[in-house]
Amino acid sequence: MSTPSAVAPAPVPAPAPQQAGTVSYATIEDPKVARQVMDTLAKLTSVLDVPPGTPEGQTATIFFDPRCPYCHAAFTALHGRIAARWVPVVVLGDPEGGNSMAAAILAGSDRVAALKTAFETKGASSAPADAALLAKLAENKEAFASIFAASPALRPGVPTMFVPRPDGRLAIMVGYEPGDDAKLRAVLTGS
């Protein structure tokens, strides 16, 4: 088992973000740093939702809180259309309830189905969360916090999407609005 500091991303050198509505954007320009960040994020406990035939390097990493309506909208728009690694973080208050929901998703035999059900029903698990899963959720939250500590120009929020570009750079999108799925697809494919 890795310690939380073992998966904390390297400092994310990002320019001042651009703001569009409630979504902010930034880019990691150095492909080497971008690759290190994506490799580190891939080690976090997550829900892998990858449609068949997805090209190598076209998987976004998305931090989400299972109670977040914007995360739900993003999942609804992206599920089955864009490859994503969904990393649960409980950041919207009521840590006990949020951790219970997130742990139930991660404990599911089919994590994608468990995530979809959690979003659709907004239901919380009544079962106590397993200590090992709670440790993984704490590790995810520490990585999430370290990203924003290293990039003070970005305002923390969920969903936070790390989208690899074909040229090796890494786009970071904080927030979600209808239509952002098309922007995410364009970044992934370089179109």
Side-chain angles (χ1 to χ4, degrees):
M1 182 168 122
S2 60
T3 61
S5 60
V7 295
V12 179
Q18 302 168 1
Q19 195 72 24
T22 59
V23 180
S24 60
Y25 303 87
T27 303
I28 297 175
E29 297 291 337
D30 183 338
K32 182 178 177 186
V33 173
R35 172 57 35 213
Q36 290 172 338
V37 169
M38 288 304 288
D39 288 347
T40 300
L41 295 176
K43 295 174 186 172
L44 297 172
T45 302
S46 62
V47 177
L48 195 57
D49 184 17
V50 180
T54 299
E56 178 82 25
Q58 287 193 3
T59 301
T61 298
I62 303 170
F63 284 92
F64 75 98
D65 187 305
R67 300 153 308 160
C68 167
Y70 299 101
C71 299
H72 181 186
F75 178 79
T76 300
L78 301 175
H79 174 61
R81 295 173 190 91
I82 292 177
R85 177 180 299 106
W86 294 86
V87 180
V89 290
V90 176
V91 295
L92 298 178
D94 182 22
E96 188 176 323
N99 280 330
S100 179
M101 279 184 78
I105 292 165
L106 295 175
S109 59
D110 179 343
R111 288 181 174 179
V112 174
L115 177 57
K116 185 176 181 185
T117 298
F119 277 139
E120 288 174 352
T121 64
K122 296 176 183 36
S125 169
S126 59
D130 173 85
L133 286 177
L134 289 175
K136 294 292 186 185
L137 290 169
E139 195 173 276
N140 288 357
K141 188 172 181 178
E142 184 175 315
F144 179 79
S146 70
I147 289 162
F148 289 100
S151 303
L154 287 173
R155 213 168 88 210
V158 285
T160 295
M161 301 178 243
F162 289 81
V163 188
R165 299 171 59 109
D167 62 8
R169 296 182 299 156
L170 182 63
I172 304 168
M173 300 169 61
V174 181
Y176 181 83
E177 293 177 343
D180 283 347
D181 52 309
K183 293 174 191 170
L184 194 141
R185 187 177 298 107
V187 170
L188 277 170
T189 62
S191 55

